[in-house]
């Protein structure tokens, strides 16, 4: 009876506990569902934002060639040559990889005159049959391009098609808005899963994967059902989301781009968006184990936590986790709105970072690095006026949108800001915080914020390494063009070496005493396949900076050795030829050994190849240069000191450096006829060099008067236009065999 009473008494608590458990489980399911719906809603919003950005990027590119076609039609150009010439000189876009015209027979001719047969490509026929601008995706040599075509209509018919390509990687940045703690990223694919635009994000399949479905299948066999659902949705033009397994579970939300059958995908790790809801679910399930007394309290906590989770999801996208300020995503949105709402204000977009920021992390620790970033953000934020914004992009990179009256006001604002940074002092050390600031004066409010930032960043990068102090510069189109030209030169270097576009020229040296040509200096010219010559002044300084000069110097040495070997085999009387050696080569401890191996590989006497370096190297590496010079002389290799007197060397250096030949800088020769001091210096240099058993070559001799004066001073040889200009191999060969 007692047991039955207890059992009856337990019925209500047990029923209540079961009810509570059911309610909690149901509520937990609701939390999961609500979080998923919120996630899908957020992903949908971000996808539509990226869809708009990408569509506008394509629209801008399409508008450029549509305008070109319109101008061509209005100007009445009807001939192939006229249209091609117009495109070549119009410079309609510097972002294009290839620009040209397709004729009705399917032949493409680019603005450089290169012809490509596209008659077998179905897209070519489609482009000719369309009255609208079309976009296609194609691949060539591991590069993927977006192809944009628009017809040129003459007398109501499509007579030609303008053909323009863009690297798809160019569009990756426009859809790479950092989301979800910078762990979100986006792709563009077609309905078959073929990549149109990839992603450079660390967790993605990269910029160059072929097919998303193949990558998902290879990532895990558990993705098969998700692949099938996604393939079906893409064929029907639907927007939806799936969960993919690629190391970890990830949400993928896809929506049509309304361009061909292309889709934009937004991807974010599941654990990022469910981080907070997971904690809630754990609390809910633990609650079932505890007594029912705390049910209402936990239920209240769960509801409150749900609201907090939604707020935190928004903060992940719109609040910077370190500074507490707005994220870059939020900044872009607010900056576009601010520019639109304040048309009468002058705005400048600023990009800046800390000089040598890594030094703070390495020497003072990551915590101090975070404190420095917060200090910098605060220094920027405190100076903001109404209608101005700032944000941390990532690491130590910051952006701000500020108003200004004129460039003088910007100068004052920067000076005041730079002074404020002097207040920073790291814990336990001394560090002078300085920054490099790039400024873009907003003159086109329709331009995307990312594009404005890129212009400010171009200027800011140009400042890097120029000074240890804080400094700023304002963007100009010339800087951008210079950097684009440098990039083009850098990117073309490897192919130029492989295709032997670098041509060795020879500038003869004239022996005054023997009254005959006696050797030459090997110089380099870059001749593109279309015949264009790139001046050494454009690529030599750049290669010296990025290190490619080492490979170029070795190339010139190889080519020179090969030509000397050829002339020796033909029985010509070959005099020594000097090759230029850069500082980076001299810093290689195996330089002399490698030089000898190259020369001996061609069976050439070592004395027929002389090494020549500029005197500017002496300023930083005097002891090294003296040691290398002695090694060369030990093996019978003559050493020439080039540009002597151009600013670093002195007459005393001739005593320290055991070189064989001194080459007088052209500036002394230019003043021989008018400046008595230059004449005295040249005479003294020649006399001292002869005393030290060195010979002297005068560079840049252009007149007979200069030649006569140098002859009177007993100069040994001359080099310059008076006796001979730099000449290609065939001309020099005719000179020595004659």
């Amino acid at each position: 009876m007692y047991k039955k009473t207890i059992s009856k008494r337990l019925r209500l608590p047990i029923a209540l506990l079961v009810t509570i458990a059911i309610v909690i489980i149901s509520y937990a399911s609701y939390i999961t569902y609500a979080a998923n719906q919120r996630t899908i809603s957020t992903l949908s919003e971000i996808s539509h934002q990226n869809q708009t950005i990408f569509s506008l990027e394509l629209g801008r590119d399409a508008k450029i060639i549509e305008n070109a076609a319109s101008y061509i039609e209005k100007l009445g150009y009807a001939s192939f040559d006229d249209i091609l010439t117009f495109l070549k000189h119009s410079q309609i876009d510097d972002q294009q990889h290839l620009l040209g015209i397709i004729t009705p027979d399917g032949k493409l001719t680019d603005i450089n005159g290169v012809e490509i047969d596209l008659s077998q490509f179905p897209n070519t026929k489609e482009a000719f049959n369309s009255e609208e601008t079309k976009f296609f995706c194609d691949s060539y040599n591991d590069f993927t391009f977006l192809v944009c075509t628009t017809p040129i209509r003459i007398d109501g018919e499509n007579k030609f098609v303008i053909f323009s390509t863009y690297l798809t990687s160019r569009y990756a940045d426009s859809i790479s808005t950092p989301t979800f703690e910078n762990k979100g990223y986006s792709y563009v694919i077609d309905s078959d899963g073929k990549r149109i635009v990839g992603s450079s994000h660390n967790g993605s399949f990269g910029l160059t994967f072929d097919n998303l479905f193949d990558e998902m299948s290879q990532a895990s066999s558990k993705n098969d059902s998700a692949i099938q659902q996604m393939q079906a949705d893409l064929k029907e033009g639907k927007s939806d989301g799936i969960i993919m397994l690629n190391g970890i579970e990830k949400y993928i939300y896809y929506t049509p781009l309304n361009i061909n059958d292309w889709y934009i995908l937004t991807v974010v790790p599941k654990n990022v968006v469910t981080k907070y809801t997971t904690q809630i679910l754990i609390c809910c399930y633990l609650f079932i184990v505890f007594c029912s007394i705390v049910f209402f309290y936990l239920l209240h906590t769960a509801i409150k936590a749900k609201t907090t989770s939604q707020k935190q999801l928004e903060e992940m996208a719109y609040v910077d986790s370190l500074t507490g300020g707005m994220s870059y995503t939020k900044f872009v949105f607010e900056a576009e709105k601010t520019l639109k709402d304040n048309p009468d204000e002058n705005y400048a977009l600023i990009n800046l970072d800390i000089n040598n920021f890594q030094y703070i992390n390495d020497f003072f620790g990551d915590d101090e690095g975070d404190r420095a970033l917060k200090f910098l953000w605060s220094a920027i934020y405190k100076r903001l006026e109404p209608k101005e914004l700032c944000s941390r992009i990532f690491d130590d990179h910051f952006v701000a949108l500020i108003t200004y009256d004129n460039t003088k006001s910007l100068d004052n604002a920067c000076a005041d800001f730079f002074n404020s940074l002097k207040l920073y002092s790291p814990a336990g050390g001394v560090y002078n915080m300085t920054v490099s600031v790039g400024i873009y004066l907003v003159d086109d409010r329709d331009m995307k914020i990312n594009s404005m930032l890129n212009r400010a960043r171009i200027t800011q990068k140009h400042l890097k390494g120029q000074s240890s102090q804080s400094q700023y510069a304002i963007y100009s189109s010339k800087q951008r063009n210079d950097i684009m030209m440098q990039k083009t030169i850098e990117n073309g270097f490897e192919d130029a070496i492989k295709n032997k576009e670098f041509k060795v020229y020879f500038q003869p040296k004239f022996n005054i005493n023997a009254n005959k040509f006696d050797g030459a200096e090997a110089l380099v010219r870059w001749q593109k396949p279309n015949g264009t010559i790139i001046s050494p002044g454009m690529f030599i300084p750049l290669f010296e900076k990025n290190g490619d000069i080492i490979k170029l110097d070795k190339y010139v040495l190889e080519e020179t050795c090969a030509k000397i070997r050829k002339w020796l085999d033909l029985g010509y009387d070959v005099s020594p030829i000097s090759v230029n050696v850069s500082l980076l080569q001299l810093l290689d401890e195996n330089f002399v050994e490698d030089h000898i191996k190259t020369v001996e590989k061609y069976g050439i006497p070592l004395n027929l190849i002389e090494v020549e370096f500029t005197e500017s190297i002496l300023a930083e590496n005097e002891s090294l240069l003296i040691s290398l010079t002695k090694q060369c002389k030990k093996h019978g290799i003559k050493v020439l000191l080039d540009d002597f007197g151009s600013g670093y060397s002195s007459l005393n250096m001739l005593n320290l450096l055991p070189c064989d030949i001194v080459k007088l800088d052209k500036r002394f020769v230019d003043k021989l006829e008018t400046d008595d001091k230059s004449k005295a210096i040249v005479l003294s240099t020649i006399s001292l060099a002869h005393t030290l058993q060195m010979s002297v070559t005068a560079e840049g001799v252009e007149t007979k008067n200069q030649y006569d004066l140098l002859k009177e001073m007993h100069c040994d040889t001359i080099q310059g236009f008076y006796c001979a200009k730099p000449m290609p191999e065939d001309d020099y060969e005719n000179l020595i065999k004659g």
Side-chain angles (χ1 to χ4, degrees):
M1 183 71 182
Y2 178 73
K3 290 183 178 179
K4 288 184 178 179
T5 302
I6 294 177
S7 177
K8 289 181 179 179
R9 289 179 178 178
L10 288 176
R11 287 177 184 175
L12 183 58
I14 291 174
L16 180 60
L17 186 63
V18 170
T19 302
I20 292 173
I22 293 173
V23 171
I24 292 174
I25 293 172
S26 300
Y27 185 73
S29 299
Y30 167 74
I31 291 288
T32 302
Y33 172 79
N36 287 336
Q37 291 300 111
R38 177 62 181 171
T39 298
I40 292 174
S41 175
T42 303
L43 290 174
S44 174
E45 180 180 337
I46 294 173
S47 291
H48 282 91
Q49 289 177 0
N50 286 337
Q51 176 191 38
T52 302
I53 292 171
F54 186 75
S55 297
L56 288 174
E57 287 285 330
L58 289 186
R60 183 185 67 86
D61 293 334
K63 191 66 177 176
I64 289 171
I65 67 168
E66 286 173 354
N67 287 341
S70 178
Y71 280 127
I72 289 169
E73 293 170 7
K74 289 179 179 178
L75 293 172
Y77 291 150
S79 74
F80 172 87
D81 291 337
D82 288 344
I83 295 173
L84 191 63
T85 300
F86 172 84
L87 290 178
K88 183 174 182 179
H89 294 289
S90 63
Q91 299 180 341
I92 58 177
D93 194 354
D94 57 2
Q95 295 292 330
Q96 293 161 323
H97 184 80
L98 181 65
L99 177 64
I101 307 171
I102 304 177
T103 52
D105 59 0
K107 299 294 179 58
L108 164 67
T109 303
D110 74 2
I111 60 175
N112 294 316
V114 178
E115 293 187 358
I116 303 173
D117 188 358
L118 301 179
S119 59
Q120 301 303 314
F121 290 85
N123 292 338
T124 303
K125 184 176 181 181
E126 184 178 348
F128 258 98
N129 291 336
S130 175
E131 295 183 5
E132 301 175 347
T133 298
K134 292 288 186 179
F135 279 94
F136 311 103
C137 184
D138 208 345
S139 299
Y140 183 73
N141 284 351
D142 296 329
F143 291 97
T144 304
F145 303 88
L146 283 188
V147 179
C148 183
T149 64
T150 193
I152 299 175
R153 297 182 62 79
I154 300 173
D155 297 329
E157 296 182 4
N158 292 351
K159 295 296 186 180
F160 303 96
V161 170
I162 297 179
F163 180 97
S164 177
T165 65
Y166 306 86
L167 286 171
T168 58
S169 58
R170 170 176 179 258
Y171 298 93
D173 289 342
S174 66
I175 60 170
S176 63
T177 305
T179 57
F180 295 101
E181 300 177 333
N182 287 329
K183 293 181 180 179
Y185 50 92
S186 298
Y187 301 124
V188 177
I189 65 171
D190 65 13
S191 59
D192 294 322
K194 178 183 176 183
R195 170 184 55 83
I196 307 299
V197 179
S199 172
S200 59
H201 192 278
N202 289 337
S204 72
F205 291 127
L207 286 166
T208 59
F209 69 87
D210 291 324
N211 188 284
L212 179 66
F213 298 142
D214 293 341
E215 297 291 337
M216 290 173 61
S217 180
Q218 292 176 14
S220 174
S221 60
K222 295 180 180 180
N223 290 327
D224 291 345
S225 60
I227 293 173
Q228 292 174 4
Q229 177 190 335
M230 187 173 173
Q231 286 175 329
D233 289 344
L234 264 58
K235 293 298 182 184
E236 296 177 12
K238 292 181 178 179
S239 297
D240 206 342
I242 60 168
I243 294 179
M244 170 189 72
L245 184 63
N246 180 22
I248 59 174
E249 288 188 327
K250 298 181 179 181
Y251 282 108
I252 298 181
Y253 185 86
Y254 42 89
T255 189
L257 270 174
N258 299 321
I259 300 172
N260 300 330
D261 62 338
W262 296 354
Y263 279 76
I264 189 159
L265 281 63
T266 300
V267 186
V268 63
K270 183 179 178 182
N271 59 8
V272 174
V273 295
T274 61
K275 179 165 57 175
Y276 300 100
T277 55
T278 300
Q279 296 174 3
I280 297 170
L281 295 176
I282 292 174
C283 292
C284 290
Y285 288 121
L286 286 175
F287 185 77
I288 300 175
V289 181
F290 299 117
C291 65
S292 60
I293 300 174
V294 296
F295 166 69
F296 293 103
Y297 171 77
L298 288 180
L299 183 61
H300 171 72
T301 301
I303 295 173
K304 183 179 180 180
K306 175 194 170 186
T307 304
T308 301
S309 176
Q310 292 176 337
K311 183 178 179 181
Q312 288 172 330
L313 280 173
E314 294 178 356
E315 288 183 351
M316 281 192 292
Y318 297 122
V319 178
D320 181 65
S321 59
L322 179 65
T323 65
M326 69 173 65
S327 68
Y328 180 65
T329 302
K330 180 71 170 176
F331 174 87
V332 170
F333 175 79
E334 293 294 338
E336 289 177 347
K337 184 176 183 298
T338 298
L339 291 174
K340 182 179 179 181
D341 293 345
N342 300 279
D344 297 328
E345 293 280 2
N346 291 326
Y347 276 97
L349 189 129
I350 296 175
N351 178 70
L352 64 95
D353 66 9
I354 301 174
N355 295 328
N356 301 316
F357 174 67
Q358 191 60 40
Y359 175 89
I360 299 178
N361 285 329
D362 291 344
F363 287 89
F364 301 108
D366 292 341
D367 290 342
E368 184 59 37
D370 289 345
R371 193 175 80 87
L373 294 176
K374 292 177 182 178
F375 173 87
L376 179 57
W377 182 83
S378 178
I380 300 170
Y381 185 77
K382 287 177 181 177
R383 282 163 176 74
L384 294 182
E385 299 290 341
K387 305 177 185 178
E388 296 182 344
L389 311 166
C390 73
S391 169
R392 185 174 77 102
I393 308 173
F394 63 90
D395 295 339
D396 63 322
H397 296 265
F398 290 80
V399 62
L401 184 69
I402 66 171
T403 59
Y404 71 98
D405 295 325
N406 47 52
T407 54
K408 179 64 177 176
S409 67
L410 282 176
D411 183 73
N412 293 335
C414 287
D416 178 62
F417 174 65
F418 294 160
N419 285 331
S420 72
L421 299 183
K422 296 177 182 178
L423 298 175
Y424 168 74
S425 59
V430 177
Y431 179 81
N432 182 25
M433 179 183 288
T434 62
V435 293
S436 295
V437 179
I439 301 175
Y440 171 70
L441 303 181
V442 178
D443 56 3
D444 180 4
R445 297 184 183 232
D446 293 329
M447 184 184 297
K448 291 298 177 184
I449 298 299
N450 281 339
S451 298
M452 295 181 188
L453 180 63
N454 286 338
R455 283 160 170 74
R457 188 172 292 160
I458 285 172
T459 301
Q460 189 251 7
K461 286 183 177 179
H462 185 69
L463 292 174
K464 283 294 186 179
Q466 293 186 11
S467 172
S468 60
Q469 301 302 312
S470 292
Q471 53 185 337
Y472 79 91
I474 298 175
Y475 168 84
S476 68
S477 57
K478 182 181 182 302
Q479 286 179 331
R480 185 170 184 269
N481 293 337
D482 288 345
I483 291 173
M484 293 299 295
M485 175 58 74
Q486 289 178 5
K487 268 297 180 189
T488 300
I489 290 174
E490 284 182 328
N491 293 340
F493 175 75
E494 291 296 336
D495 285 342
I497 287 286
K498 179 181 177 182
N499 299 329
K500 292 187 178 294
E501 294 176 15
F502 291 105
K503 308 298 181 184
V504 177
Y505 275 53
F506 300 92
Q507 184 165 28
K509 302 172 184 176
F510 187 78
N511 189 313
I512 296 176
N513 297 324
N515 195 33
K516 68 172 185 177
F517 288 106
D518 186 13
E521 177 183 359
L523 305 172
V524 65
R525 301 289 185 267
W526 188 349
Q527 183 174 345
K528 303 293 285 182
N530 61 6
T532 302
I533 300 291
I534 300 178
S535 167
M538 294 181 66
F539 62 84
I540 293 294
L542 180 60
F543 294 160
E544 287 176 339
K545 184 177 180 180
N546 66 17
D548 285 340
I549 192 66
I550 296 176
K551 195 168 186 178
L552 181 59
D553 282 351
K554 291 180 178 180
Y555 171 90
V556 172
L557 176 61
E558 289 272 359
E559 290 292 299
T560 302
C561 288
K563 297 182 192 319
I564 291 178
R565 180 68 266 164
K566 169 189 170 184
W567 295 330
L568 289 173
D569 292 341
L570 291 172
Y572 298 156
D573 183 16
V574 180
S575 298
I577 293 178
S578 60
V579 294
N580 290 282
V581 180
S582 64
L583 170 60
L584 292 179
Q585 263 196 293
L586 293 176
L587 292 176
D588 182 356
E589 62 182 12
N590 297 319
F591 162 69
V592 176
E593 180 182 347
D594 292 343
H595 178 87
I596 292 172
K597 284 181 180 178
T598 301
V599 176
E600 290 182 341
K601 181 174 72 173
Y602 290 90
I604 298 171
L606 291 175
N607 68 309
L608 286 184
I609 296 288
E610 302 170 340
V611 295
E612 187 171 325
F613 52 82
T614 61
E615 67 144 44
S616 58
I617 298 175
L618 286 169
E620 304 172 14
N621 304 273
E622 179 181 311
S623 59
L624 171 65
L625 204 55
I626 292 173
S627 173
L628 289 174
T629 302
K630 289 179 178 178
Q631 291 183 50
C632 288
K633 290 177 69 68
K634 177 182 176 181
H635 293 283
I637 303 170
K638 285 191 175 183
V639 176
L640 287 71
L641 178 60
D642 194 15
D643 295 337
F644 182 81
S646 60
Y648 295 91
S649 56
S650 65
L651 294 177
N652 183 54
M653 184 54 64
L654 296 181
N655 184 43
L656 296 175
L657 190 67
C659 62
D660 298 283
I661 301 172
V662 177
K663 299 185 72 175
L664 287 174
D665 186 65
K666 182 180 184 298
R667 282 175 285 186
F668 285 118
V669 176
D670 289 341
K671 297 178 181 179
L672 272 180
E673 301 173 78
T674 58
D675 186 6
D676 290 339
K677 289 183 180 180
S678 295
K679 189 183 299 184
I681 292 173
V682 171
L683 183 60
S684 299
T685 303
I686 293 173
S687 177
L688 179 58
H690 286 167
T691 302
L692 297 174
Q693 304 301 311
M694 301 177 186
S695 61
V696 179
T697 298
E699 294 184 287
V701 179
E702 298 180 353
T703 68
K704 186 176 187 305
N705 286 340
Q706 292 172 346
Y707 171 79
D708 291 338
L709 286 170
L710 290 166
K711 185 175 182 180
E712 290 177 10
M713 296 177 184
H714 302 292
C715 182
D716 300 289
T717 58
I718 66 167
Q719 198 176 347
F721 285 9
Y722 176 70
C723 59
K725 296 181 180 181
M727 57 186 67
E729 172 193 352
D730 292 342
D731 292 349
Y732 184 70
E733 182 176 325
N734 290 331
L735 182 69
I736 63 175
K737 77 178 180 181

